[in-house]
Amino acid sequence: MRKNLFVLFILGLIFSCSDDNKKLLPNSSGNINNISVVINNELWDGEVGDVIRENLERPIYGLPQIEPVFTLNHIPSKIFSGFATKSRTILKVAIGQKEAVKNLTNQYASPQHIVYITAKNKEKISELIIENLPSIYSSLYFSELKEKQRRILKNTNNTQSLKQNLGLSLKFPSAYRVAKLDSNFVWIRRDIKAGSVNLFVSKLKKTSKEIFILRDSISKTNIPGPTEDSYMRTDFSYKPNTQEVYFGKTKTMESRGLWDVKGQFMAGPFINYYIDLGNNNTVMIDGFVYSPGTNKREYIFELEAIIRSIKF
């Protein structure tokens, strides 16, 4: 009996210390999609740095101007200490005896995500990055999406309109309002200084219509332009990109491209998901931004984070 009590006491101390360590971690800092790249100057200024920049600063498809997927901030390895270690997202690259690509969490601060890459020489590091690029990229990207969703949860809109009308839910900030609502369509939007950030959800029966024809028919009916007979439509002068992605185990078609308004000088980027729910039912979720003259990466990223919070 005494032995069992002693074991329980020791376990209690271990878990207590573990909890205390988590509590003692300082808060991390850093904007969404900003990555601190910890690497010595020689590697950063050479081929390794070129490989990192080429793949992580590549332009986002579907924006009207060139914007990188990530903003990279170089931190030389020798000064990586103190406040620099509190960066929320870190890519750490170094020469070492073992070849490894590791994902670490909450090493110096919380929340924090670190991708650590090491190899015997600079040539091997470049090869390792290229070989593991899909997993490195996905790890960083989905870590940023998770952080954006965490921030959204701090102040969400509590409307039940999507659940009541469409039988699904989304987590979106309280800054958004319901602009239009009916039995199978909901449009939410938030006003920004230079325009608006928008998202519509349409539930409909499965159809053989091509995705963009379906998108344009929905927006023609529900997203009017500023004048009579004007409406939002897909801009085919910039070819939309479509690929298969997954929401959990649910296969989804993701499309990115540009929209415009018939007869008007209005345009912007969109991100669209077409989801087969089974039983002859589908859902189209479309996020689009109108903000002329401004960068739009963070708006589209916010819309993706909202859409990926969907629960059926």
Side-chain angles (χ1 to χ4, degrees), residues 5-287:
L5 288 174
F6 178 75
V7 171
L8 289 172
F9 175 72
I10 294 299
L11 287 173
L13 284 177
I14 291 171
F15 286 115
S16 175
C17 290
S18 177
D19 289 342
D20 287 343
N21 287 338
K22 290 180 181 178
K23 291 176 184 177
L24 289 173
L25 285 173
N27 292 329
S28 59
S29 62
N31 294 327
I32 296 293
N33 293 324
N34 279 242
I35 299 173
S36 295
V37 183
V38 180
I39 183 173
N40 69 40
N41 291 332
E42 181 185 355
L43 292 177
W44 180 248
D45 293 333
E47 181 185 344
V48 174
D50 290 341
V51 170
I52 292 171
R53 286 184 291 271
E54 180 183 345
N55 290 287
L56 298 186
E57 286 187 327
R58 64 175 182 250
I60 301 169
Y61 193 89
L63 297 186
Q65 67 279 336
I66 295 176
E67 295 184 61
V69 175
F70 300 113
T71 299
L72 304 182
N73 304 303
H74 175 219
I75 300 177
S77 302
K78 63 182 179 181
I79 65 169
F80 182 63
S81 62
F83 182 75
T85 64
K86 309 305 184 293
S87 296
R88 186 178 50 77
T89 306
I90 298 171
L91 174 64
K92 193 173 183 181
V93 182
I95 291 177
Q97 291 304 307
K98 294 182 178 180
E99 289 189 10
V101 177
K102 298 179 182 178
N103 286 279
L104 308 172
T105 58
N106 300 345
Q107 294 294 295
Y108 309 100
S110 179
Q112 186 178 63
H113 180 73
I114 302 174
V115 176
Y116 181 60
I117 302 171
T118 180
K120 293 181 179 181
N121 53 55
K122 59 185 180 182
E123 290 79 18
K124 287 293 184 182
I125 288 176
S126 294
E127 290 176 12
L128 200 59
I129 292 173
I130 293 169
E131 288 171 6
N132 292 275
L133 185 60
S135 62
I136 293 169
Y137 179 90
S138 296
S139 173
L140 292 168
Y141 192 81
F142 285 102
S143 174
E144 295 304 285
L145 274 174
K146 182 179 178 181
E147 173 61 16
K148 183 63 179 181
Q149 290 174 333
R150 187 187 73 85
R151 296 184 184 188
I152 288 172
L153 285 175
K154 291 181 177 180
N155 190 16
T156 56
N157 189 307
N158 293 320
T159 180
Q160 295 296 310
S161 56
L162 276 85
K163 191 70 175 178
Q164 293 167 355
N165 286 56
L166 303 177
L168 53 86
S169 64
L170 292 171
K171 302 292 185 182
F172 56 92
S174 59
Y176 285 78
R177 59 183 173 84
V178 177
K180 186 173 182 179
L181 172 70
D182 65 30
S183 60
N184 59 10
F185 179 87
V186 177
W187 173 16
I188 63 171
R189 63 180 294 171
R190 74 176 174 99
D191 297 323
I192 55 177
K193 187 175 181 180
S196 62
V197 184
N198 305 263
L199 187 149
F200 74 71
V201 186
S202 182
K203 192 171 183 179
L204 56 158
K205 293 298 181 182
K206 194 170 183 178
T207 175
S208 59
K209 285 184 179 179
E210 193 261 347
I211 286 175
F212 301 110
I213 293 175
L214 184 61
R215 178 184 187 270
D216 288 358
S217 67
I218 293 171
S219 60
K220 183 176 182 180
T221 302
N222 296 286
I223 314 291
T227 61
E228 189 176 356
D229 295 328
S230 66
Y231 59 92
M232 183 182 70
R233 62 185 181 181
T234 304
D235 180 1
F236 289 104
S237 65
Y238 181 96
K239 185 179 178 180
N241 179 64
T242 299
Q243 63 177 344
E244 210 174 78
V245 300
Y246 281 85
F247 287 1
K249 294 182 179 180
T250 304
K251 186 168 70 174
T252 305
M253 296 306 296
E254 177 194 86
S255 302
R256 295 173 185 262
L258 297 179
W259 59 269
D260 64 10
V261 172
K262 180 185 177 183
Q264 299 292 316
F265 292 104
M266 297 177 69
F270 72 82
I271 181 169
N272 178 284
Y273 293 90
Y274 183 65
I275 308 168
D276 188 344
L277 300 179
N279 297 321
N280 205 36
N281 292 313
T282 63
V283 168
M284 178 169 281
I285 309 178
D286 191 279

